[in-house]
Amino acid sequence: MIVDTHSVLVATKDRQLSSLVEAMLVAPVFETKITGDFNEARRLSSERTYNIILADYADGAGVDFASDVSDSLSTVLLLAPQALYEETSYRMEGFGIITLATPFDNFAFYSSIKAAIAVQYKVQALSRQTVKLKIKMEEIRLVNRAKMLLMQFLKMTEQEAHRYIEKEAMDRGMKKTSIAEEVIRTYG
């Protein structure tokens, strides 16, 4: 059985939390990087995409850090003290950040990590879908530009230009985008 490895960045100054995370998130399932410096955590998260980023509240520094990295493809978890949980959770939801109340038991923590992994799989699937859609939109834009040039310079109708690009692609065993690029180079 092949085991996926999940990369986790942990930003906390709490040694007890660091020890707990190290004990629970072990290789080969987890590749964990722990730092007590939020600036270093920012640097690390800018250098690579972690599946999960876990930030400790740390007198509010963790809130700022979590907000800063929330636009990445990582699933971000913020650990907030029980007394600040409601307020913090409410503020972080808009950033797509999952807030967990501390202290917590090991089962609750591990369950949250498993939920974050599930979210990460969904994020990755949506990201792949977004990339495919962007590529498809670019292809459509390219073909439409080529059709406009054919209509402008060769006085074709939109249907004739479309048919021309499709026929050339089929006859020459090429993609429509390749034919469109040729048309753009010729008439653009």
Side-chain angles (χ1 to χ4, degrees):
M1 179 178 146
I2 298 174
V3 176
D4 285 341
T5 300
H6 307 287
S7 57
V8 182
L9 174 62
V10 181
T12 182
K13 297 176 182 189
D14 184 338
R15 293 196 190 282
Q16 186 177 7
L17 180 60
S18 295
S19 298
L20 171 69
V21 169
E22 280 182 320
M24 293 190 73
L25 305 181
V26 295
V29 177
F30 297 98
E31 172 198 334
T32 307
K33 174 70 177 165
I34 300 175
T35 180
D37 181 346
F38 287 100
N39 288 327
E40 180 185 1
R42 278 181 183 82
R43 182 186 59 77
L44 291 168
S45 66
S46 71
E47 291 174 355
R48 74 172 276 200
T49 300
Y50 289 87
N51 297 117
I52 300 170
I53 297 177
L54 182 65
D56 192 11
Y57 188 85
D59 297 324
V63 172
D64 294 337
F65 167 69
S67 299
D68 290 347
V69 298
S70 67
D71 61 349
S72 70
L73 292 177
S74 304
T75 301
V76 182
L77 301 172
L78 176 64
L79 305 176
Q82 187 78 44
L84 301 171
Y85 173 78
E86 281 300 324
E87 175 190 343
T88 305
S89 177
Y90 181 75
R91 284 179 41 211
M92 296 293 100
E93 286 171 358
F95 292 101
I97 296 171
I98 300 168
T99 306
L100 306 174
T102 57
F104 47 76
D105 62 41
N106 292 359
F107 180 77
F109 175 71
Y110 194 72
S111 294
S112 298
I113 293 295
K114 295 297 281 180
I117 290 169
V119 167
Q120 187 54 216
Y121 280 121
K122 185 58 116 176
V123 166
Q124 289 172 357
L126 290 172
S127 178
R128 284 190 299 273
Q129 218 173 12
T130 300
V131 168
K132 285 180 187 176
L133 287 172
K134 284 181 179 179
I135 291 169
K136 187 67 176 167
M137 286 173 52
E138 179 60 25
E139 290 172 355
I140 290 169
R141 188 193 64 76
L142 197 64
V143 170
N144 283 342
R145 181 156 181 241
K147 287 194 299 188
M148 293 297 286
L149 290 169
L150 289 171
M151 291 164 59
Q152 180 181 356
F153 288 98
L154 300 182
K155 306 299 182 212
M156 292 182 178
T157 66
E158 195 268 340
Q159 293 160 333
E160 290 170 337
H162 182 79
R163 175 76 180 119
Y164 172 82
I165 292 170
E166 279 187 334
K167 187 170 180 350
E168 282 295 307
M170 199 168 34
D171 290 350
R172 295 168 55 190
M174 297 171 68
K175 291 183 170 186
K176 286 193 290 185
T177 53
S178 299
I179 300 300
E181 287 170 346
E182 285 182 7
V183 169
I184 292 167
R185 276 193 301 275
T186 303
Y187 298 106

